[in-house]
Amino acid sequence: MKAKHVRPGEYGAVFKYVLLLPAVLWVVAFTFVPLIFVIHYSLANYVLGLGITDYVGLENYADVLASDRFWHSIMVTAAYVAISVPIEVVLGFTAAWLVNLGAPWSYGFRTVIGTPLFTMEVAIGYLGVTLFSSQGGLVPAVLGLAGVHVPWLSTAWGGIAAAILLDIWRWTSFVFVIVLAGLAGISSDLYDAAILDARNHWQVMWRLGVPLAWPVTTIAILLRTVECLKVFAIPYALTTGGPGTSTEVFSAMDYLTTVQFFNFGQGSAMGVIFLVMVAALLTVFFKQMRKRLA
Amino acid sequence: MTNILWLRASLISKVVVYVLLTLAVIFTLLPFVWAFINSIKTSTATFEPGAFIPFITFQPTLDSWHNVLSDPQAINAFISSIVVSVGTTAVALILGVPAAYALARFQFPIGSSDIALWFLSQRVLPPAVVLVPFYLLMVYLQLIDTWTGLIFCYSAFNLAFAVVIMRDIFRDVSTEIEDAAKVEGATPWQIFWKISLPLSVDGLVVTAVLIFAFTWNEALFAAALTSQSATTFSALVLASRSTRGVDFNIAAVNTLIGIIPPVVLYFFVQRYLARGLSFGAVKG
């Protein structure tokens, strides 16, 4: 497949670099240069106002790795991603499949279901406070009618669950929009053929829809995972990490360490550690995805 | 376009589909309705148990709307957000689309999918990690608290979307058309600009909307890299916690105002989304 698309670079020898290089340089200047700074800071003792006072080797790293708060935030982030992303993918895919059937009014359904993608996460986090608050919150009030009482914002797991629910609300629409675009690209002839030897609708979805939409879905899963690992605004606005630091995600902790406490050394070191862990995870993830694509 | 599956579906299947879609719509709309109800409460009423129905369980007021709309800082932030999001989208596309085309059409010493992955890899970087170096970089470039500074940062972050999505879209443009143009004597630039790009407009629009929405949403960098004149709307909302505790009725107004520009954009480009992108998937 690759060979069909990529042609020998007979006339494009210089042209192709003219097209590619500005983007590469831009990314290098605005993300990789700062990253080098981060690595630099991570090896140093940085005092606000004085700058780097001395180099401490791997001491920042040792401090971070020995910190319970760091590992706790990693666990919270991991749980957050592991729960919300699969749910978002399943819900988003199903919704896209249903809308793609083209039933009357699907245009309206499509419009509404895609809307949360365009909201501001910070605002949604604050809205979540009023949704889940035990005082006058909508969710506890509705659940209360059914006799269910969940301590949403007063316990760690309740706070994480509330943040995940908001995340699902906000980001299912992303999977939805991407998968829907992918499904629309499937030729109608394929449905005609599939319907002949499938017993029912759901079989067509499993045998035809899922395999054909898999590459697009892979992109959605990948992008969602990458974004979700950086999650900040929703849980931070919702719980500020509380009670205590029990619902603190990684980005929130790193943000507080650097911006609030100006501990650039440790903040940078934890960033580097996090980056290494994420890179390892994504490498494994990508190998698996490629195998299935092949 | 109605799918054959729908035409052939049994009545029960059709009912199930509508029930599921209706549930999805209710789930989607409920927070918006709740935001609206909150926006017409006083700040004390936002935590009053049972204050759910305007006029009946609480007295509605437009004070918070009035507060936000008459606040020059909020208006300014709103304008900032629009300028920064449009600027970012433009810069990311101008840089990213040619790169995506190059990766889709030409061979490089390194595999083109590996280069695309490299672009994507910088999205892995949590913003909190690079906040400090960016701050210092912006101070050095004298771009702190400016639209330009934010546009530079955001365009670099969002370039990956332009590259990864558009690369796959260009791969779907038939090379035969390009080959024909080449035989006619078109230069590589003409082929890109006059043939492949117009054929990829659908994908371009979708990419633009996604970048716009991502930029619009970003709050952490905006909060750190601006202080007054270039503060964006999302940064303003984020900051509402530190200044005076959160007035949740104001936050609700902000939620609703904050979705207007991207949603308007989304309505306009809806039809492009439906035409189908394969993101590199095999088409039938």
Side-chain angles (χ1 to χ4, degrees):
Chain A
M1 183 173 155
K2 201 174 157 190
K4 191 185 134 203
H5 286 289
V6 181
R7 293 184 293 170
E10 19 178 298
Y11 64 82
V14 177
F15 180 63
K16 64 184 183 186
Y17 287 105
V18 173
L19 293 178
L20 181 65
L21 275 183
V24 171
L25 293 178
W26 199 253
V27 170
V28 168
F30 284 100
T31 62
F32 285 84
V33 169
L35 185 59
I36 290 167
F37 274 92
V38 169
I39 295 171
H40 183 201
Y41 287 133
S42 75
L43 301 169
N45 190 12
Y46 189 101
V47 180
L48 190 70
L50 294 176
I52 292 173
T53 51
D54 57 334
Y55 289 92
V56 293
L58 296 175
E59 205 177 278
N60 287 325
Y61 288 89
D63 287 349
V64 170
L65 289 173
S67 143
D68 288 341
R69 194 173 168 186
F70 170 77
W71 288 110
H72 184 78
S73 78
I74 295 288
M75 296 307 288
V76 172
T77 310
Y80 193 98
V81 175
I83 297 169
S84 49
V85 174
I87 296 177
E88 285 158 17
V89 170
V90 170
L91 289 181
F93 187 97
T94 311
W97 177 265
L98 295 178
V99 167
N100 189 54
L101 291 174
W105 303 330
S106 357
Y107 187 85
F109 285 122
R110 197 177 70 208
T111 309
V112 172
I113 298 173
T115 316
L117 181 56
F118 302 97
T119 58
M120 288 183 301
E121 283 177 284
V122 191
I124 295 307
Y126 287 143
L127 187 67
V129 177
T130 61
L131 272 170
F132 290 102
S133 165
S134 55
Q135 285 165 336
L138 181 66
V139 178
V142 172
L143 289 179
L145 294 178
V148 182
H149 297 281
V150 183
W152 289 109
L153 299 179
S154 54
T155 59
W157 66 268
I160 294 170
I164 287 174
L165 280 171
L166 291 174
D167 201 275
I168 290 169
W169 181 82
R170 170 64 168 66
W171 287 103
T172 295
S173 54
F174 177 74
V175 180
F176 171 79
V177 166
I178 289 201
V179 173
L180 187 60
L183 287 174
I186 299 175
S187 146
S188 57
D189 304 345
L190 287 175
Y191 291 108
D192 296 348
I195 204 166
L196 288 178
D197 44 48
R199 250 178 292 129
N200 56 45
H201 181 136
W202 309 109
Q203 228 179 9
V204 180
M205 173 167 150
W206 275 109
R207 289 198 185 156
L208 179 80
V210 173
L212 279 180
W214 181 243
V216 187
T217 313
T218 313
I219 292 185
I221 296 173
L222 175 71
L223 290 176
R224 221 19 241 135
T225 308
V226 167
E227 297 302 312
C228 196
L229 283 165
K230 303 189 292 191
V231 62
F232 171 77
I234 289 179
Y236 185 75
L238 182 69
T239 69
T240 344
T245 57
S246 59
T247 59
E248 193 173 61
V249 290
F250 171 79
S251 284
M253 190 199 51
D254 202 356
Y255 171 71
L256 292 178
T257 309
T258 41
V259 175
Q260 206 137 320
F261 304 116
F262 298 106
N263 194 340
F264 293 178
Q266 272 195 28
S268 301
M270 63 180 70
V272 174
I273 295 170
F274 185 75
L275 211 55
V276 170
M277 297 199 301
V278 172
L281 181 76
L282 288 182
T283 313
V284 175
F285 180 82
F286 253 105
K287 277 204 178 127
Q288 289 301 319
M289 287 293 176
R290 276 212 181 139
K291 255 184 230 160
R292 285 197 217 168
L293 278 173
Chain B
M1 186 188 63
T2 309
N3 195 306
I4 180 135
L5 291 179
W6 176 259
L7 298 175
R8 295 278 198 83
S10 64
L11 187 63
I12 291 186
S13 299
K14 286 182 178 176
V15 171
V16 170
V17 168
Y18 271 115
V19 168
L20 291 176
L21 285 175
T22 308
L23 285 177
V25 165
I26 293 172
F27 177 69
T28 307
L29 289 183
L30 208 59
F32 290 122
V33 174
W34 183 243
F36 177 73
I37 291 175
N38 270 327
S39 77
I40 53 172
K41 286 179 182 173
T42 58
S43 81
T44 44
T46 46
F47 288 106
E48 217 165 81
F52 296 142
I53 310 160
F55 294 109
I56 294 171
T57 57
F58 71 94
Q59 191 55 43
T61 161
L62 288 174
D63 282 357
S64 28
W65 285 91
H66 185 254
N67 271 348
V68 173
L69 295 176
S70 63
D71 177 4
Q73 221 190 335
I75 308 284
N76 190 33
F78 196 76
I79 295 168
S80 284
S81 270
I82 290 181
V83 172
V84 169
S85 300
V86 170
T88 299
T89 309
V91 174
L93 289 181
I94 289 168
L95 290 167
V97 170
Y101 180 76
L103 291 175
R105 281 291 178 269
F106 303 108
Q107 269 178 333
F108 288 91
I110 309 168
S112 99
S113 61
D114 290 330
I115 299 177
L117 261 186
W118 176 82
F119 276 104
L120 201 58
S121 73
Q122 51 80 30
R123 281 232 43 116
V124 175
L125 220 59
V129 174
V130 283
L131 218 47
V132 172
F134 262 100
Y135 183 82
L136 298 175
L137 183 69
M138 286 300 131
V139 170
Y140 178 75
L141 296 173
Q142 299 193 323
L143 290 175
I144 221 70
D145 201 18
T146 61
W147 289 338
T148 318
L150 283 180
I151 291 172
F152 278 9
C153 298
Y154 289 156
S155 60
F157 299 155
N158 286 302
L159 208 50
F161 285 116
V163 172
V164 170
I165 300 176
M166 288 309 292
R167 170 174 164 265
D168 278 325
I169 286 169
F170 283 129
R171 277 157 54 126
D172 282 341
V173 174
S174 151
T175 48
E176 277 119 50
I177 305 174
E178 294 198 3
D179 286 335
K182 202 178 129 198
V183 171
E184 298 290 323
T187 64
W189 173 258
Q190 283 173 325
I191 294 176
F192 164 63
W193 188 249
K194 297 213 166 130
I195 295 170
S196 291
L197 200 57
L199 284 172
S200 311
V201 160
D202 291 6
L204 202 66
V205 169
V206 174
T207 313
V209 172
L210 283 179
I211 294 175
F212 186 95
F214 272 90
T215 310
W216 187 267
N217 178 42
E218 211 286 332
L220 196 53
F221 261 80
L225 300 183
T226 65
S227 50
Q228 189 99 62
S229 53
T231 300
T232 65
F233 202 67
S234 54
L236 191 77
V237 176
L238 181 67
S240 60
R241 183 185 285 280
S242 49
T243 48
R244 43 173 160 44
V246 181
D247 287 328
F248 288 97
N249 51 335
I250 303 280
V253 176
N254 288 335
T255 307
L256 293 170
I257 292 182
I259 62 168
I260 294 171
V263 165
V264 167
L265 200 64
Y266 171 59
F267 286 152
F268 277 116
V269 303
Q270 273 250 37
R271 57 201 182 92
Y272 291 100
L273 287 168
R275 271 192 222 154
L277 307 171
S278 70
F279 294 99
V282 185
K283 284 187 184 178

